[in-house]
Amino acid sequence: MKYYKLDHIVIKPILLCNASCEFCKPRLKLHSKLKSNIMLSINEWEKILTEAKYLGAKYLHISGGEPLLYKQLLELVKIGKDIGYHVNLNTNGYILTSNCINNLSEYKLDSITISLYSHNIKIHNRIKNINDDNSNLRTTMILLKKSSIDLYLQTIMTNYNIRVFDVFLQYISQFKPEILFISFLEGLHRYINRFEPSIEDINYFIADVLPRCINFINNTNKEKQSKSRKLQMKKIAKNLILLKSGKGGDYPCKYNRTMCIILANGDVHSCSAIEYYHYPTIGNLLKNNLSDLLRTDKWQRIRAKGPGWCKHCPMKYHVNLPFNEGKKNNLVD
């Protein structure tokens, strides 16, 4: 059996969140169930990150929940940088203040990924289930671009933004993000999710919105950049059709072969989607070490063939739209 090494490691040091996104409910349900468990200490995180680095991991993504609620976040960033990781913070950005950005810059954080679901802040907040129409997200993104921290953005294709995706692209272009990470509704629950684009939405996107997006790209980018971005935009249309038709089948996925997720209670998942499906958990780092778990037949089998329900998972359809052609994409949900 081929042995797969780690490349990305996603850690979730806190399972609390200040938002309550509807399409995140299965994840929130799992996190709520685990909140009473013993949580990893900062010393245990340091030991785990050191071991993961030894096992080949290069990229550390600090996620949640909302990681800015974690009281020892700066210490965790410092540990990651001292060990030698490229460190990314995945946040909704609501409590990312100017002072916080300055502190994270001082601790040499490499990048921040902010989730943004609409150019209209009221719609964005509605999706997030946050009552904050005076949100300072726009100011936050401007401050980030003035800092030493790279700005990444992440969005999800929904029936709220699919018909105005060209307007969304124009809006985010003013912030000059390095990359826009475009996701699709995750988990089996997407089939009954009120945010799922209809076939009419998808047809409208392909016939009307996609040409406007490509026209915007042609008018605002150099030839080399335009070619790359146009290919990715067309890939979005193709993947929307595959998802809606359910004909993606064994469409290849790289995530389960290159990454792992470690929750605050020590549970290890082989990919992001397990937070939605709730199985299989590889093991727990309060009981086992990462090296032993990685070498188990169970994990290596999942790395080779997936956990068994990959044909239902849209993570493999995610698209990365580069805004800075020189930047390498190291994004993970």
Side-chain angles (χ1 to χ4, degrees), residues 90-107:
N90 193 350
T91 173
N92 58 43
Y94 281 95
I95 53 177
L96 186 59
T97 63
S98 173
N99 185 56
C100 184
I101 291 172
N102 290 336
N103 288 337
L104 289 167
S105 295
E106 288 182 15
Y107 280 79

Side-chain angles (χ1 to χ4, degrees), residues 14-216:
I14 190 166
L15 303 179
L16 298 173
C17 191
N18 56 335
S20 182
C21 304
E22 186 168 328
F23 37 69
C24 204
K25 279 183 178 178
R27 174 189 284 165
L28 296 174
K29 183 178 179 181
L30 175 65
H31 288 187
S32 179
K33 181 181 177 182
L34 300 176
K35 281 177 186 175
S36 61
N37 291 19
I38 297 173
M39 300 297 166
L40 294 167
S41 68
I42 192 69
N43 290 333
E44 286 166 328
W45 278 120
E46 183 173 14
K47 179 182 176 182
I48 290 165
L49 294 180
T50 301
E51 186 178 15
K53 183 68 176 177
Y54 173 77
L55 293 170
K58 305 180 189 70
Y59 305 106
L60 169 63
H61 303 267
I62 305 174
S63 188
E66 174 48 61
L68 290 174
L69 296 172
Y70 183 58
K71 294 181 179 179
Q72 293 176 284
L73 177 62
L74 289 176
E75 189 175 352
L76 194 55
V77 171
K78 184 179 186 302
I79 288 170
K81 292 302 298 179
D82 287 347
I83 293 173
Y85 285 99
H86 178 286
V87 183
N88 174 72
L89 182 70
N90 193 350
T91 173
N92 58 43
Y94 281 95
I95 53 177
L96 186 59
T97 63
S98 173
N99 185 56
C100 184
I101 291 172
N102 290 336
N103 288 337
L104 289 167
S105 295
E106 288 182 15
Y107 280 79
K108 309 298 182 184
L109 180 71
D110 293 284
S111 57
I112 288 180
T113 303
I114 291 180
S115 52
L116 189 65
Y117 300 147
S118 174
H119 59 281
N120 183 319
I121 192 63
K122 291 186 177 181
I123 293 176
H124 172 78
N125 289 340
R126 192 183 309 154
I127 294 173
K128 287 281 188 182
N129 279 322
I130 289 182
N131 185 20
D132 184 14
D133 290 343
N134 294 315
S135 170
N136 63 350
L137 273 180
R138 185 177 186 280
T139 302
T140 297
M141 290 187 284
I142 292 172
L143 288 173
L144 271 174
K145 286 307 296 183
K146 293 180 179 178
S147 75
S148 61
I149 303 171
D150 287 341
L151 171 63
Y152 295 158
L153 294 179
Q154 180 266 345
T155 196
I156 297 178
M157 294 294 284
T158 68
N159 51 18
Y160 277 81
N161 61 22
I162 190 170
R163 288 176 176 256
V164 289
F165 201 74
D166 56 317
V167 181
F168 180 74
L169 283 184
Q170 292 175 46
Y171 175 74
I172 67 170
S173 67
Q174 67 182 298
F175 306 113
K176 297 180 172 62
E178 306 299 334
I179 298 167
L180 172 64
F181 187 46
I182 301 166
S183 308
F184 301 94
L185 292 169
E186 296 173 332
L188 286 171
H189 67 291
R190 72 181 180 84
Y191 293 107
I192 56 172
N193 196 300
R194 67 184 180 90
F195 293 103
E196 185 186 4
S198 66
I199 190 63
E200 290 78 13
D201 290 330
I202 295 171
N203 288 337
Y204 183 83
F205 175 82
I206 294 170
D208 292 82
V209 180
L210 184 57
R212 294 201 297 269
C213 290
I214 290 176
N215 185 57
F216 171 71

Side-chain angles (χ1 to χ4, degrees), residues 267-300:
D267 281 352
V268 180
H269 295 171
S270 61
C271 69
S272 298
I274 290 172
E275 284 187 285
Y276 293 87
Y277 290 86
H278 299 182
Y279 73 92
T281 297
I282 301 299
N284 186 282
L285 295 180
L286 289 172
K287 301 175 183 178
N288 309 98
N289 62 53
L290 193 58
S291 301
D292 289 342
L293 290 178
L294 186 63
R295 292 182 174 88
T296 60
D297 288 343
K298 177 181 180 180
W299 198 351
Q300 288 302 315

